[in-house]
Amino acid sequence: MHKEIWLFARLFVTLQPNSRKEMANELQQTEEQFKSVMAECRALFEKKLHDYGASWRILRPSSLTDQLFIKAKRIRSLETKKVSLVGEGIRPEFIALINYGIVGLVQLAHGYVDKVDMTPEEAMALYDRYANEALELMMKKNHDYDEAWRNMRVSSYTDFILTKIQRIKEIEDLGGDTLVSEGIDANYMDIINYAVFGAIKLIGK
């Protein structure tokens, strides 16, 4: 009996370094994939800034929330129907959710305006700030949850995003007067991160 316990303990100690190494490799891979998707989103955002300027500065919070809802609702519709009649798939909608999520964080911090008041350079600086904050949050949560996102279905990301959007609507309707809930900014961050995970899983699809 003692020999069996000793052998088990030795096996456990032997496996532990390998297990830690594998986890470290997975965390690094997630960070690289996250940065790759964010770079893709940033490039698209920058091109749209060139074409339209920071026209989204005019969006009021409720309009931005509805835009997020439209994108997430379309993803859920395509997941259910399995076909798109306009030719655009699910992944571009996740990319849009990421960028609109960052726009939401900018609007939350700076308010909306009646006339565009921000240069493309200023907008990109803010974009980079919030993208980095999203990455830092993801890395902390991913460390604690041990890469759980990899075993989740893409449809679950969609439902979680829709849930976060509904929470934002409720907080907006309450005028931000919540009792125990996280703020709108935390929900935007979660939407961004879930959308990145969806975009990672749908690369090449």
Side-chain angles (χ1 to χ4, degrees):
M1 180 68 177
H2 291 295
K3 185 176 181 181
E4 291 176 356
I5 294 174
W6 179 82
L7 287 172
F8 176 79
R10 184 171 181 179
L11 178 62
F12 180 79
V13 171
T14 301
L15 288 175
Q16 280 298 93
N18 290 334
S19 178
R20 288 197 297 269
K21 184 177 180 180
E22 288 173 5
M23 179 55 64
N25 288 339
E26 288 177 357
L27 290 171
Q28 183 178 356
Q29 182 185 19
T30 295
E31 181 177 1
E32 291 171 355
Q33 290 176 314
F34 192 100
K35 286 180 177 179
S36 177
V37 168
M38 291 305 295
E40 179 184 351
C41 294
R42 187 187 191 280
L44 178 61
F45 191 83
E46 192 168 30
K47 289 175 181 176
K48 289 195 173 185
L49 269 178
H50 174 273
D51 291 350
Y52 309 127
S55 55
W56 41 265
R57 287 288 292 131
I58 295 170
L59 288 173
R60 287 175 287 182
S62 57
S63 300
L64 184 55
T65 303
D66 285 345
Q67 182 67 12
L68 286 165
F69 174 75
I70 289 170
K71 295 295 182 182
K73 189 69 175 176
R74 182 171 185 270
I75 293 174
R76 182 153 155 158
S77 174
L78 292 177
E79 288 172 344
T80 302
K81 297 173 183 175
K82 310 295 184 184
V83 64
S84 169
L85 296 183
V86 298
E88 291 186 355
I90 292 173
R91 193 171 184 276
E93 302 294 3
F94 277 126
I95 298 297
L97 283 168
I98 295 163
N99 283 344
Y100 275 115
I102 292 178
V103 166
L105 290 168
V106 174
Q107 295 294 83
L108 200 60
H110 296 271
Y112 65 90
V113 296
D114 293 326
K115 185 177 180 181
V116 175
D117 63 346
M118 192 176 290
T119 67
E121 292 75 19
E122 290 170 335
M124 289 308 304
L126 288 168
Y127 185 97
D128 290 339
R129 170 188 166 186
Y130 290 115
N132 287 332
E133 288 183 11
L135 171 63
E136 290 173 5
L137 177 63
M138 182 281 295
M139 292 302 294
K140 290 175 182 177
K141 287 192 173 183
N142 199 39
H143 172 274
D144 291 351
Y145 288 100
D146 288 338
E147 292 280 298
W149 71 274
R150 291 193 181 276
N151 295 316
M152 293 169 59
R153 300 173 180 88
V154 173
S155 59
S156 294
Y157 305 142
T158 306
D159 290 352
F160 292 154
I161 288 169
L162 282 165
T163 301
K164 294 293 180 180
I165 294 169
Q166 184 60 39
R167 290 179 181 178
I168 291 172
K169 286 184 177 181
E170 296 291 341
I171 294 171
E172 288 174 345
D173 290 344
L174 288 170
D177 187 21
T178 60
L179 298 178
V180 296
S181 303
E182 294 178 316
I184 291 176
D185 57 341
N187 286 288
Y188 280 143
M189 280 291 184
D190 286 341
I191 288 169
I192 292 166
N193 285 341
Y194 283 131
V196 172
F197 291 151
I200 291 172
K201 285 208 168 186
L202 293 176
I203 289 176
K205 296 183 180 179

